Amino acid sequence: MVSQIPQKTQVVVIGGGVIGCSVAYHLCRRGWSDVVMLERSQLTCGTTWHAAGLIGTTRASQTLATLAGYCLDFIPMIEKETGQSVGFNQVGSMWIAEDEERFEEIRRLHDVTKIWGPETHLLNADEIEKHYPLIDKTGLVGGMIAPSEGWASPVDFTMAIAKGVRGRGGKIFEGVTVTDVLTDNGKVTGVETNQGRIETDFVVNCAGLWAREIGRMADVDIPLYPCEHYYMVTEKSEQVPNDLPVMRDQSNEAYYKEDAGSILLGAFEKKAIPVDPASLPENFSFEELAGEFDQFMPVYEAAVKRVPLLGELGMRKFFCGPESFTPDDQIQMGKAPGLEGFYMCAGANSVGIQTGPGYGKALADWIVDGRAPFDLSGMDVRRNEPYQNTTAFLSER
Ligand SMILES: Cc1cc2nc3c(=O)[nH]c(=O)nc-3n(C[C@H](O)[C@H](O)[C@H](O)COP(=O)(O)OP(=O)(O)OC[C@H]3O[C@@H](n4cnc5c(N)ncnc54)[C@H](O)[C@@H]3O)c2cc1C
């Protein structure tokens, strides 16, 4: 049963995924306790629940590194505050290169991390094998490891943040769908929901792949579009050590993660398949997409050569879920142009778990202080042109 939503509040956050929870939490931390978060189904039910949970903070730009790097400070903080574990396995992240060009890119990344972190170390093929005994090191040119990274449980992570919201006086309502954003004279005045109306001066749209639709309710363009995103999980094996680092092989569009005695092999496909949001059920909640193994096959075939055990173990799970992507691979955040009080943070391009704390903190500061806390112009929703929000452009992109 849904408890009674208030008639009035300072701010409404739409969406109970990792990003909505993080924005709500950081607003509460800034002293806004009259925070209401509305989730149409259950917390994490959209994209968050099925993420692989990689916590990577190594980035080629200082802005991205600041946003992602905050996660490593945030995890111990939220665990201490709420007493809830986020299931963080600090096993490190490793990058591998099969050619000089990729290794050059990794070396550059290593150089910039000396400026803004995290700590990284370059590796030769023998050192890679020491860290990842399951690997066939044939043809490896080199790699890099970031020992402070790893992976967490996306659901535990989000639930811990939600507990932090409640602990600081914020209110979370599940089973409440926002059906309209109310405006008057260029200002937000409230939201209409399936449980009634809430008056508010601030609406924060954190509705993930549905954020574009919420934007339309307020005549605000939010260019993002869901695409299929894949991973598979093998059956369990005693041959899979539980301290394997996350391994990224970008030339073969693959990442590997130890997953409770199994190997999770994920894909960063260069040519992802768009998903028409209208094709998703209206009550999409903890759901998967059918996906096509052919799309995943090139990643799998290359991975079996690199980690031969993968080919010996049966496949326990083949997973395909939707994730929202933006035309330039940067999130849409900040204040809507031309509409006072309407903010957003959506289109996480597959890094919403690891960057969720940083996005949430930055946006909360932006809302409370009325300006971005540092240069976020590359993510500011005002960077977009109207044509970028057409369905034809987005699905092609
Ligand atoms: C296969 C896969 C693997 C991934 N692996 C990783 C990873 O390893 N690391 C990482 O950092 N990221 C990963 N991601 C990405 C990550 O899962 C997402 O970036 C993140 O979950 C996005 O969170 P969100 O809060 O924006 O969206 P969501 O979790 O989708 O939350 C949006 C919420 O809004 C709600 N909502 C929608 N419309 C309304 C409405 N009208 N009223 C009220 N509520 C509404 C929805 O029900 C939903 O719960 C992965 C994604 C996929 C698909």
Side-chain angles (χ1 to χ4, degrees), residues 19 39-40 47-48 50 52-54 178 323 350-354:
I19 293 184
E39 163 53 49
R40 72 177 158 80
T47 303
T48 295
H50 57 57
L54 308 193
V178 172
E323 163 67 342
S350 207
V351 293
I353 308 298
Q354 51 205 285

Side-chain angles (χ1 to χ4, degrees), residues 121-199:
H121 304 280
L122 292 176
L123 304 171
N124 61 32
D126 292 338
E127 289 166 330
I128 290 172
E129 190 185 35
K130 262 196 205 127
H131 285 288
Y132 210 95
L134 302 180
I135 203 166
D136 177 346
K137 64 182 175 183
T138 310
L140 285 182
V141 176
M144 179 177 86
I145 191 156
S148 58
E149 300 185 353
W151 57 274
S153 156
V155 172
D156 293 348
F157 194 79
T158 309
M159 289 307 190
I161 307 175
K163 195 171 175 189
V165 173
R166 293 187 178 107
R168 287 175 178 269
K171 295 185 186 65
I172 297 176
F173 296 90
E174 295 175 281
V176 179
T177 303
V178 172
T179 54
D180 202 3
V181 176
L182 308 173
T183 63
D184 184 33
N185 220 3
K187 281 179 66 174
V188 159
T189 57
V191 292
E192 200 66 69
T193 80
N194 61 343
Q195 310 285 330
R197 180 174 291 197
I198 305 179
E199 283 177 39

Side-chain angles (χ1 to χ4, degrees), residues 20 30 88-89 117 125 129 143 153 200 219 237 271 293 309 373 394:
R30 287 294 310 264
F88 185 39
N89 292 271
E129 190 185 35
S153 156
T200 184
D219 282 332
S237 163
K271 189 118 185 83
F293 199 75
L309 182 63
L394 285 170

Side-chain angles (χ1 to χ4, degrees), residues 86-393:
V86 306
F88 185 39
N89 292 271
Q90 204 162 20
V91 287
S93 297
M94 191 169 74
W95 288 254
I96 59 172
E98 305 185 335
D99 53 63
E100 262 308 323
E101 289 76 14
R102 182 66 69 186
F103 194 37
E104 174 65 24
E105 186 191 350
I106 289 173
R107 279 197 296 260
R108 287 181 187 203
L109 205 50
H110 169 64
D111 279 345
V112 294
T113 61
K114 288 181 197 152
I115 309 169
W116 49 68
E119 178 189 328
T120 60
H121 304 280
L122 292 176
L123 304 171
N124 61 32
D126 292 338
E127 289 166 330
I128 290 172
E129 190 185 35
K130 262 196 205 127
H131 285 288
Y132 210 95
L134 302 180
I135 203 166
D136 177 346
K137 64 182 175 183
T138 310
L140 285 182
V141 176
M144 179 177 86
I145 191 156
S148 58
E149 300 185 353
W151 57 274
S153 156
V155 172
D156 293 348
F157 194 79
T158 309
M159 289 307 190
I161 307 175
K163 195 171 175 189
V165 173
R166 293 187 178 107
R168 287 175 178 269
K171 295 185 186 65
I172 297 176
F173 296 90
E174 295 175 281
V176 179
T177 303
V178 172
T179 54
D180 202 3
V181 176
L182 308 173
T183 63
D184 184 33
N185 220 3
K187 281 179 66 174
V188 159
T189 57
V191 292
E192 200 66 69
T193 80
N194 61 343
Q195 310 285 330
R197 180 174 291 197
I198 305 179
E199 283 177 39
T200 184
D201 290 335
F202 292 91
V203 169
V204 192
N205 177 0
C206 301
L209 69 91
W210 298 273
R212 188 165 165 244
E213 309 308 314
I214 301 277
R216 283 211 184 101
M217 294 174 188
D219 282 332
V220 173
D221 284 343
I222 307 177
L224 56 83
Y225 206 79
C227 288
E228 293 182 354
H229 204 36
Y230 289 89
Y231 58 69
M232 60 154 276
V233 185
T234 66
E235 58 192 12
K236 290 180 194 297
S237 163
E238 286 179 358
Q239 295 177 70
V240 180
N242 64 6
D243 58 352
L244 286 178
V246 169
M247 182 163 78
R248 293 179 167 83
D249 178 2
Q250 280 158 320
S251 299
N252 290 307
E253 304 170 16
Y255 63 89
Y256 306 71
K257 183 197 117 178
E258 185 274 331
D259 195 75
S262 306
I263 301 174
L264 182 152
L265 169 67
F268 322 102
E269 317 102 278
K270 281 193 193 103
K271 189 118 185 83
I273 299 175
V275 179
D276 178 0
S279 70
L280 300 175
E282 215 170 287
N283 53 355
F284 189 93
S285 180
F286 298 110
E287 300 214 23
E288 307 180 15
L289 303 174
E292 289 175 34
F293 199 75
D294 281 356
Q295 172 76 0
F296 189 71
M297 192 57 122
V299 174
Y300 179 70
E301 283 176 345
V304 165
K305 288 190 196 134
R306 188 50 75 203
V307 178
L309 182 63
L310 266 175
E312 293 165 29
L313 298 177
M315 190 182 307
R316 188 156 56 89
K317 178 83 190 154
F318 172 60
F319 182 85
C320 176
E323 163 67 342
S324 49
F325 290 87
T326 60
D328 56 5
D329 206 33
Q330 298 299 324
I331 199 157
Q332 306 290 6
M333 69 188 291
K335 187 170 94 60
L339 184 59
E340 281 307 308
F342 191 79
Y343 287 79
M344 74 210 63
C345 191
N349 300 290
S350 207
V351 293
I353 308 298
Q354 51 205 285
T355 329
Y359 290 146
K361 181 175 190 304
L363 188 64
D365 288 345
W366 198 329
I367 294 168
V368 174
D369 299 330
R371 60 177 188 282
F374 47 94
D375 180 10
L376 292 169
S377 50
M379 290 158 211
D380 191 325
V381 68
R382 290 172 295 184
R383 74 190 182 279
N384 300 294
E385 298 289 340
Y387 75 86
Q388 290 175 308
N389 198 34
T390 61
T391 300
F393 174 82

